[in-house]
Amino acid sequence: MYIGRFAPSPTGVLHYGSLLAALASYLDAKSSQGLWLVRIDDIDPPREMHGASQSILETLQLFGLAWDRDVIYQSQRYRLYQQALETLTASKQAYPCTCSRKEITQRSGHNHYDEHCFTHPFSEVKSAHAWRFHNIHTKICWTDGILGEQQRYHPDLADFILKRRDRLWAYQLAVTIDD
């Protein structure tokens, strides 16, 4: 069964671009006799606006966009993200990283991570650190509904962050687990 979803971040009221994206995903799901789900991506509290989640849901309802299951709030799923991180760490696919953006740029001349903490592991992490996924695949392949088969090389995918230095979950881990 086809499952579509709309996943806004509650950083403000729903703007027209997001409403258009919601409508497109809703119509795509419904035209396939599928489900349309809503997930609130509320994993970055410093950027959230108080009351935005409720406002977004009310706007969707006002425009007749009804979701088919309970709304999922990422802020209620931290246990699942922690379990995933522990599994990845146990299989040596995730590792701690103390590198700042400035350090990465100074070492490599650009802002693409250079696997420093993976290739130079430390025995005990004492300072603030992020958790990174050791990604050996930096090429993305997909089928676009209009353009057909696509592929792109993305150096930003190299060892991306799973959990930030400020202890907040990274979007990449959360959405992978949720989707």
Side-chain angles (χ1 to χ4, degrees), residues 3-14:
I3 299 176
R5 64 118 175 100
F6 177 63
S9 296
T11 57
V13 297
L14 193 64

Side-chain angles (χ1 to χ4, degrees), residues 10 38-45 48 53-54 57 69-83 168-169 174-175 177-178:
V38 173
R39 180 184 71 224
I40 301 294
D41 287 358
D42 58 346
I43 57 170
D44 194 355
E48 291 172 25
S53 294
Q54 187 61 35
L57 296 175
R69 295 198 177 143
D70 290 342
V71 173
I72 293 173
Y73 292 85
Q74 286 185 320
S75 61
Q76 298 171 1
R77 300 172 63 79
Y78 289 177
R79 181 182 53 79
L80 296 173
Y81 308 150
Q82 184 62 40
Q83 288 172 345
L168 296 176
W169 293 104
V175 299
I177 299 304
D178 293 339

